[in-house]
Amino acid sequence: RKSIKESARLRLTEFDVGDKFSRLPLPKASVLLPLMVRAGKLHLLLTVRSMQLRRSPGEVCFPGGKSEAIDKDEIDTALREAKEEVGLQPEKVEVICRLVPGIDKMNHLVTPVVGFIEDTFQAIPNPDEVSDVFVVPLEYFVKPVNYKTLPYKTSSGYLSWMHCFMYDDHEHKTSFKIWGLTAHFAVFLALVIFGKRPTFEVDYDLDNLISSSENNFMNLYASLYERKKSNL
């Protein structure tokens, strides 16, 4: 168990971006990517958004949300939100790193914060925000059983595609659809930790994962910035 964690920790620290993107002039949000070792394998904890939420009800996501004035940084935001949503105490998370951010459909700069939690963690979902909590083997995001791509228009108007995974959870006897930015972060996390080629196409140069992920992000940010300028 130690060695799985150790090697994951070493890989992740190589990809830590710290506050490199924190100064970009976009509203901030963070998500926590909670990793645990279960039955000798890395697993990722995910939540299902409550059906009463205005935005994206019933969708799978990571614990997280918008940054608030009390938060020192992106890590604070992710830990505070995880406590509010699933009852995960901040001191029970071993924070490892921040990965390259993404931009959501509301044009928030979303920073993924990766941390280890105990496999004994029992989530207490806040029913106002979360209807379900489940775990997926991290390897599913490089070797899925049920995968497709969905076309979508980016905020700058050009057509792209996004990952979409269907995961059959035997514990819950249900299938979860994991897509969009959540799937994007899960795939990147799996690529970083396992360092192997997935069974589907990704838009990274896998031999230069660090630089290509940062370049992809900066291109996305630049296209958003261009569109904002042209709308003025």
Side-chain angles (χ1 to χ4, degrees), residues 149-163 184 203 216 220 223:
T149 57
L150 297 176
Y152 81 108
K153 251 199 173 78
T154 65
S155 54
S156 53
Y158 71 96
L159 199 65
S160 186
W161 49 270
M162 61 172 78
H163 305 295
H184 169 81
D203 52 0
N216 283 7
L220 176 66
S223 66

Side-chain angles (χ1 to χ4, degrees), residues 100-203:
V100 173
I103 296 174
D104 70 7
K105 44 184 183 275
M106 312 293 289
N107 292 336
H108 286 92
L109 180 75
V110 185
T111 299
V113 175
V114 186
F116 278 110
I117 63 172
E118 287 301 324
D119 65 328
T120 50
F121 168 65
Q122 293 289 322
I124 306 162
N126 171 351
D128 295 338
E129 301 195 40
V130 172
S131 65
D132 221 335
V133 178
F134 65 104
V135 297
V136 180
L138 184 62
E139 201 172 36
Y140 197 80
F141 297 106
V142 282
K143 284 206 308 204
V145 177
N146 192 337
Y147 170 87
K148 62 180 183 207
T149 57
L150 297 176
Y152 81 108
K153 251 199 173 78
T154 65
S155 54
S156 53
Y158 71 96
L159 199 65
S160 186
W161 49 270
M162 61 172 78
H163 305 295
C164 179
F165 300 86
M166 290 303 295
Y167 178 68
D168 292 329
D169 186 307
H170 303 299
E171 199 182 325
H172 289 74
K173 297 188 173 44
T174 180
S175 279
F176 294 106
K177 177 184 176 185
I178 307 161
W179 63 296
L181 200 53
T182 302
H184 169 81
F185 286 151
V187 167
F188 187 65
L189 181 66
L191 292 175
V192 166
I193 289 178
F194 297 123
K196 61 183 177 191
R197 237 155 245 288
T199 56
F200 50 88
E201 290 292 313
V202 287
D203 52 0

Side-chain angles (χ1 to χ4, degrees), residues 31 45-49 59-64 85 130 134 178 182:
V31 290
L45 180 134
L46 291 139
T47 68
V48 180
R49 289 171 65 84
E59 288 195 3
V60 169
C61 64
F62 290 111
E85 290 178 13
V130 172
F134 65 104
I178 307 161
T182 302

Side-chain angles (χ1 to χ4, degrees), residues 206-226:
L206 294 173
D207 300 319
N208 299 292
L209 192 50
I210 293 181
S211 57
S212 88
S213 61
E214 293 193 1
N215 290 342
N216 283 7
F217 170 73
M218 287 315 295
N219 289 339
L220 176 66
Y221 174 70
S223 66
L224 176 73
Y225 188 73
E226 279 305 307

